[in-house]
């Protein structure tokens, strides 16, 4: 059975490698200094999608991302690895969204895509770190969810059998489709870019990226539909303005504090025998150990 | 009405530690808010379960008992919470940031359109001023959480939508009996009224849960190893030191990822949070995600070959040297000096 697969993917700042230059003088985060990457667990989700596509010939994978126009970069990244197309959900009105407003916008876009069997996403994004968007999209679409998925074992009779990795063990569940499945980092790593696909898709562009191109160039895009990436606005997905962006977000960030260590007075020791022995004696004497 | 409710997880008839920790926190918040503390337990064979939660100061425990409600699946549990919250209108709902709480919380918050803050590390009550709309709010829940890979800490509020929902990881709050003789009320809810047959769409066909083996959370001394331990074999040294001191062995994620030690010993933002009397960090650099899980330790000793390792800045004792050299000496001199 061929499947229509949607992969939710987020472009995120690489918070795993926050160097010194990532902090501004005033102590706030300098987002510009952090490379924007494909959210790691969304790549695990993409890999599950690619495996499903291999097992179910005729399946298609559409990437859906909400973000600024430059988020088109991750759509191309997905195409280079085997996805079939993608949509950037972008509009000033989406800015400042919390997870609820994000999932509302994504669910409107999925409704517009209309035909879908499985929606895959990462368990969690590495900037917001909430793991809330997947289940919220499922609820908004009125379909079941499977979170913490490690492997989609099989799809049969309109149902998916999924192995979940939980903090204390593993669980196997059967879920009727369509469903939202969010994938853990412990799942198979995403395959690398495929050189042929890079050649094929490196000029794939969204309408905003095509701005300023010559007439001739634009004609080429008409002849090669696969190179057209889509951009959808609030209106395109019939979203209710009061439910998107900052206005549609029940949670408000009241204050943000950068984490700075408070240096405390520490005793400096070497590995010399007498120093270690004195330390041990001190800890015994003050009842820390023993 | 407008009480504080804690969703209690249950496994094999036992309420999860994280839920009891939240009841402890919930009790003190409820006192501040001058409201009742309520607990919700959903599962199967729940008779007598109230005995486990009353000592934590629970005023009302709601139970929903049906064989189909255990093990947990998303939609039926969501239905119970959504229905109950529409009736009872709690002002705050807390749940564990576990694979259950992080599956259930967002689904409930989406259905009720109430904000949800993930992985809070502190919860406080305070006022909020909305300058733009010129409105002030009293007694909001400040939901304080790290984000951005642990590089920032944000205080989040939900001014308008109820309940104010938050999840908290296991080990972040302290579990403490409020009054061993505390007695509340048990309210048994009729599952038929709260869950529809059509909610049971996901079928759990296999489940293999292990009891957490290591008990690093409760340990008063922790010997933690990082990537600088170099190998699984070298970790044996730490187990020796731990056995000598009556300690538990913990680890950084890099050590777990390298396969030196099991995952359930990981300390930090994505592991457990600990606050022992003594924390001995061996070959751990002290990245923010690790620090997040151990910075409240009373005394910290860092053993590191790099005198400038970030962890040294929060350590009480910095031993500059290799673990191969220092750890055996600690064992030797402890044996020599303890009677
Ligand atoms: C400091 C800080 C703290 C925050 N805390 C909260 C909070 O506690 N509660 C809250 O509601 N919001 C919070 N937010 C807002 C939240 O980060 C954003 O709403 C964000 O758009 C989605 O949440 P997430 O990054 O946590 O994604 P997650 O829920 O962790 O993402 C899970 C998966 O959903 C999919 N997904 C998520 N976002 C997108 C997207 N834009 N496009 C496509 N797919 C996507 C991906 O597959 C992803 O792997 C916070 C933001 C900041 C800056
Ligand atoms: C979202 C997210 C969540 C994370 N969650 C966690 C978490 O929960 N817990 C966690 O720990 N990490 C977590 N991390 C990873 C974290 O960022 C670091 O990568 C990790 O803590 C580093 O582990 P380490 O200090 O053991 O290794 P390293 O950073 O490699 O440090 C090794 C240290 O050992 C020292 N050393 C080397 N050889 C010797 C020797 N022979 N004797 C003495 N010292 C020696 C070195 O000087 C160095 O300081 C997370 C990361 C992300 C992005």
């Amino acid at each position: 059975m061929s499947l229509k697969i949607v992969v939710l993917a987020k472009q995120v700042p690489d918070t795993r490698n926050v160097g010194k230059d990532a902090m501004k003088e005033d102590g706030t985060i300098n987002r510009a200094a952090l490379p924007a990457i494909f959210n790691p667990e969304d790549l695990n989700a993409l890999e599950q999608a690619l495996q499903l596509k291999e097992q179910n010939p005729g399946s298609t994978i559409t990437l859906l991302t909400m973000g600024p126009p430059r988020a088109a970069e991750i759509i191309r990244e997905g195409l280079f690895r085997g996805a079939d197309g993608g949509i950037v959900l972008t509009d000033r009105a989406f800015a400042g969204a919390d997870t609820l407003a994000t999932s509302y916008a994504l669910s409107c876009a999925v409704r517009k895509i209309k035909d879908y069997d499985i929606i895959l996403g990462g368990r969690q994004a590495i900037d917001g770190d909430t793991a809330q968007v997947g289940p919220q999209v499922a609820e908004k679409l009125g379909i079941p969810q499977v979170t913490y998925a490690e492997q989609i074992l099989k799809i049969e009779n309109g149902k998916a059998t999924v192995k979940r990795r939980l903090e204390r063990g593993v669980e196997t569940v059967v879920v009727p489709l369509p469903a939202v499945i969010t994938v853990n980092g412990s799942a198979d790593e995403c395959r690398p870019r495929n050189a042929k696909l890079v050649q094929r898709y490196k000029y794939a562009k969204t309408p905003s990226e095509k701005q300023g191109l010559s007439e001739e160039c634009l004609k080429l895009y008409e002849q090669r539909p696969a190179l057209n990436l889509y951009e959808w606005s609030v209106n395109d997905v019939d979203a209710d303005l009061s439910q998107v962006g900052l206005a549609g977000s029940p949670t408000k960030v009241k204050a943000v504090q950068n984490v700075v260590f408070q240096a405390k007075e520490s005793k400096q020791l070497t590995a010399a025998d007498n120093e270690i022995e004195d330390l041990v004696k001190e800890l015994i004497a003050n009842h820390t150990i023993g | 009405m407008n009480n504080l409710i804690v969703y209690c997880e249950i496994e094999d008839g036992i309420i999860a530690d994280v839920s009891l920790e939240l009841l402890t926190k919930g009790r003190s918040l409820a006192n501040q808010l001058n409201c009742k503390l309520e607990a919700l337990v959903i599962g199967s064979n729940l008779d007598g379960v109230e005995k486990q939660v009353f000592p934590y100061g629970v005023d009302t425990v709601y139970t929903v008992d049906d064989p189909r409600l255990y093990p947990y699946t998303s939609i039926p549990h969501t239905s119970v919470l959504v229905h109950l919250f529409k009736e009872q209108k709690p002002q705050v709902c807390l749940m564990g940031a576990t694979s259950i709480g992080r599956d259930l919380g967002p689904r409930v918050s989406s259905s009720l359109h109430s904000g949800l803050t993930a992985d809070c590390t502190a919860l406080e009550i305070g006022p909020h001023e909305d300058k733009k709309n010129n409105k002030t709010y009293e007694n909001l829940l400040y939901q304080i959480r790290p984000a951005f890979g642990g590089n920032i800490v944000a205080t989040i509020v939900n001014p308008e939508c109820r309940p104010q929902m938050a999840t908290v990881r296991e080990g972040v709050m302290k579990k403490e009996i409020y009054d061993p003789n505390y007695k509340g009320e048990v309210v048994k809810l009729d599952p038929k009224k709260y869950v529809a047959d059509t909610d049971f769409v996901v079928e759990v066909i296999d489940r293999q849960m292990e009891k957490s083996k290591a008990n690093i959370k409760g340990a008063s001394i922790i010997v933690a190893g990082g990537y600088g331990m170099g190998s699984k074999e070298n970790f044996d040294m730490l187990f020796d030191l731990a056995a000598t001191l009556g300690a538990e062995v913990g680890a950084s994620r890099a050590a777990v990822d390298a396969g030196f030690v099991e995952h359930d010993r990981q300390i930090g933002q994505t592991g457990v949070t600990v606050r022992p009397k003594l924390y001995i960090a061996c070959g751990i650099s002290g990245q923010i995600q690790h620090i997040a899980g151990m910075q409240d330790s009373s005394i910290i000793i860092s053993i590191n070959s790099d005198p400038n390792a970030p962890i040294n800045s929060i350590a009480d004792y910095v031993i500059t040297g290799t673990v191969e050299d220092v750890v055996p000496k600690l064992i030797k001199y402890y044996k020599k000096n303890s009677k």
Side-chain angles (χ1 to χ4, degrees), chain B residues 80-102:
Chain B
V80 174
L81 270 69
V82 168
H83 280 102
L84 184 68
F85 291 2
K86 282 185 179 161
E87 277 168 28
Q88 296 296 328
K89 307 205 172 1
Q91 54 175 313
V92 173
C93 166
L94 306 179
M95 48 179 89
T98 59
S99 48
I100 290 182
R102 292 169 120 232

Side-chain angles (χ1 to χ4, degrees), chain A residues 127 136 139-140 143 145 147 167-168 170 172 174 252 254-255 257 264 266-267 269 271 273 277 282, chain B residues 99 103 107 109-110 145 148 153 155 157 203 205-206 208 210 314-318 329 333 336:
Chain A
D127 54 345
Q136 289 174 337
E139 194 281 336
K140 300 231 173 294
I143 59 177
Q145 71 201 41
T147 52
E167 63 267 290
R168 297 257 158 83
V170 290
T172 308
V174 178
K252 310 284 176 211
K254 184 175 166 61
Q257 205 192 351
K264 42 176 175 176
S266 51
K267 285 196 189 170
L269 313 173
D273 282 76
E277 183 161 17
E282 184 180 327
Chain B
S99 48
D103 182 89
R107 191 143 185 136
S109 94
S110 173
R145 68 172 302 243
F148 230 74
V153 173
T155 302
V157 290
E203 194 191 344
I205 55 170
D206 185 45
Q208 281 161 23
E210 35 190 273
I314 62 156
D316 300 273
Y317 300 91
V318 172
K329 286 184 186 171
Y333 290 115
K336 183 176 155 202

Side-chain angles (χ1 to χ4, degrees), chain A residues 168, chain B residues 169-172 216-217 263-274 290 292-294:
Chain A
R168 297 257 158 83
Chain B
R169 280 177 190 275
E170 181 169 351
V172 170
I216 49 173
K217 240 186 359 151
H263 174 76
D264 58 358
R265 295 188 187 272
Q266 183 179 315
I267 291 165
Q269 191 190 323
T270 46
V272 287
T273 302
V274 296
H290 186 79
M294 48 66 72

